[in-house]
Amino acid sequence: MTSAFRPAPFSATATALALSAGACLLLPAIAAAQAGPAPGVIVYGLIDGCLARADLGSERLNAVNSGCLYGSRLGFRGTEELGGGHRAGFTLESGITIDNGQLAQGGRIFGRKALVSLSGPWGTLEAGRDYGPAFYLVQPVDPMALGIGTASSSIWTGAASTTAARNDNVVNYLSPTWAGMSLRLQATAGEGGSGGARKSTGMNLLWRQDGTLAGVSYARVANAADTDHDSATTAAVRHEFGAWSVAAIVQQGAWEASRTAAAPSSTSSVFSRTYRSWLVGGSVRTSGVGRASLSVKRYDDRTARNFDFTQVSVNYVHSLSKRTDLYAGYSRLGNGARTSYAVSDATGAYAGVEAGATTSLLAAGVKHVF
C-alpha cells in the first residue's frame, strides 16, 4: 500500500504572518518603482536589424540578423557627485540579438560592458569588464565604424580571444586630457583562466585637435599558463576637412600564445605568429543627412605563404532623424588558395567559406537609438 505525501495545512495565524512578511518585502520595491530610477541613472539602448546575403563560394546564405552596422544593446549608466571634484559611476551594458531575442557575448547578462568607476581631477579608475585599449583607437578611426567590413577582422583590438571581444577582470586608468592628449592604461588579472580570462596589459595614447584624431596603442595578452603572449602595436590617424574625412590604420603583431610554432597560421582565422595589417579609407557627408564610406584592408601573414587577403568595403548611412538611420553596405574579400577567411559585420563573421574563394557580404538594415 502506498501513500502520497501531502503538506500540512497552514493555520490562520501562519497564513497571516506569511502575508505580512511578503508585504514587507514588496513595499520597498513598490516604492522604488513609483519613485522611478535613482537620480543620475540613464537607461539607454540601440536596436539594429538587417537583411544579409553572403556569398561563401560554394553556397549563398540569406539571413535576418541583429547588428550589421552596430551591435544591439540595452544599458544602464549612472553617476553620483561626491564633492571636491570627485564622482562615482557605473556602466552595465547587455548585448542583444534581436533576430532571436537572446543575449549576445556568449549569453553574458552584461557582456558588452560592466564597470564601476571613481573619477577626480587626477583622472578615472575603472574596474570590471571592458574592451582592450586598442578598441578606443581603432573604432573611431575605422571608416566602417567596426560595422560591415569591420577593421577588427584584420586589426586586433587587444582583447583575449576567449572572452567575446572584451577583457575580464579589468583595471583601467584614464588620464585627464592635456592639450588634446589623453592616456588609457589597462591591466587584467588572469585568475587562473577562469571563464577564459587571461592576464593582459594594454595602453593607448590619443591626440585630438581641430578635426584630427591620432594615436598609438599596445596590447599584450597571455595564454592560460602565462607562458606565451599575443601582442600587437597599432598606429592610426583620421582627419576631417569639411564634408570629407580620411583615415589610416597600421598594425604589427605576433600571436605567440594562440598559435604554435608547428601551426603558426590558421586557414580560417586571421592573426598568426607574425603578421602585418593595414587599412586606408574615408567618408563623405552627402546632402546633410547621408554619409558614404570606403575602406581598403590588407592582411599580410609573415609566417606562411598565401595566407594573405585584400578586402574592399563600402557603405551608405541615411539619417531619418537624430535617432534612426537606414543603411546598406557591401564588402568583398579575396582569399588565397589555401584560406577561407570570412567577411564580418559588427556582430560576427559569415563563416563556412570555401577554401580559395572570393567571399562577399551585401546587407541593409535600420538602426534606432534610445
Side-chain angles (χ1 to χ4, degrees):
M1 178 176 172
T2 60
S3 61
F5 171 77
R6 293 178 181 171
F10 278 105
S11 68
T13 302
T15 301
L17 288 172
L19 290 172
S20 299
C24 289
L25 291 172
L26 287 173
L27 280 173
I30 294 171
Q34 291 174 339
V41 175
I42 297 172
V43 180
Y44 65 94
L46 183 154
I47 303 298
D48 184 326
C50 57
L51 303 178
R53 179 176 176 84
D55 185 344
L56 307 179
S58 59
E59 64 175 315
R60 288 176 172 81
L61 172 68
N62 297 310
V64 177
N65 279 348
S66 175
C68 288
L69 191 64
Y70 294 97
S72 297
R73 68 203 70 170
L74 175 65
F76 306 87
R77 182 169 55 241
T79 59
E80 180 187 13
E81 296 295 336
L82 303 176
H86 292 83
R87 176 185 299 175
F90 76 93
T91 300
L92 297 172
E93 191 170 288
S94 177
I96 305 166
T97 55
I98 66 165
D99 54 329
N100 55 23
Q102 297 181 0
L103 292 172
Q105 289 80 48
R108 298 166 184 253
I109 295 176
F110 295 112
R112 288 185 60 88
K113 187 175 287 191
L115 291 170
V116 63
S117 65
L118 183 64
S119 303
W122 38 268
T124 300
L125 283 175
E126 298 176 330
R129 172 177 167 83
D130 195 13
Y131 296 98
F135 171 90
Y136 295 100
L137 171 63
V138 174
Q139 194 276 339
V141 172
D142 180 14
M144 302 294 110
L146 302 188
I148 299 164
T150 170
S152 63
S153 64
S154 59
I155 295 174
W156 183 43
T157 57
S161 59
T162 52
T163 48
R166 284 88 173 162
N167 286 324
D168 291 340
N169 314 315
V170 157
V171 176
N172 291 328
Y173 169 72
L174 287 66
S175 76
T177 299
W178 304 292
M181 297 190 68
S182 62
L183 174 69
R184 177 186 289 262
L185 304 175
Q186 183 180 97
T188 73
E191 298 188 4
S194 175
R198 300 288 186 264
K199 288 183 179 179
S200 71
T201 54
M203 59 79 66
N204 72 35
L205 181 64
L206 305 183
W207 178 72
R208 291 180 172 90
Q209 192 75 39
D210 298 329
T212 299
L213 167 62
V216 295
S217 70
Y218 175 76
R220 185 174 187 265
V221 177
N223 60 11
D226 197 20
T227 55
D228 285 300
H229 304 81
D230 300 335
S231 62
T233 302
T234 309
V237 61
R238 186 196 71 212
H239 180 68
E240 298 179 0
F241 49 100
W244 296 81
S245 69
V246 292
I249 308 173
V250 61
Q251 181 176 87
Q252 181 159 324
W255 269 33
E256 297 175 337
S258 299
R259 308 287 184 237
T260 65
S265 303
S266 168
T267 58
S268 59
S269 176
V270 296
F271 307 126
S272 64
R273 286 182 68 85
T274 306
Y275 70 90
R276 293 176 186 168
S277 190
W278 57 259
L279 173 153
V280 293
S283 300
V284 58
R285 295 194 300 274
T286 60
S287 66
V289 294
R291 186 182 72 252
S293 301
L294 165 73
S295 75
V296 178
K297 296 189 301 179
R298 175 68 179 173
Y299 173 76
D300 182 11
D301 189 315
R302 311 291 290 180
T303 56
R305 293 178 60 83
N306 299 320
F307 275 61
D308 313 325
F309 73 80
T310 302
Q311 183 175 359
V312 179
S313 305
V314 293
N315 75 16
Y316 177 74
V317 180
H318 183 85
S319 297
L320 299 178
S321 71
K322 290 183 178 180
R323 297 191 296 149
T324 303
D325 294 336
L326 298 177
Y327 64 86
Y330 177 78
S331 186
R332 182 179 178 90
L333 184 153
N335 276 293
R338 300 169 58 190
T339 59
S340 55
Y341 299 137
V343 174
S344 297
D345 61 21
T347 55
Y350 292 79
V353 177
E354 182 182 20
T358 294
T359 181
S360 63
L361 171 66
L362 177 65
V366 57
K367 179 205 75 174
H368 178 75
V369 299
F370 60 91

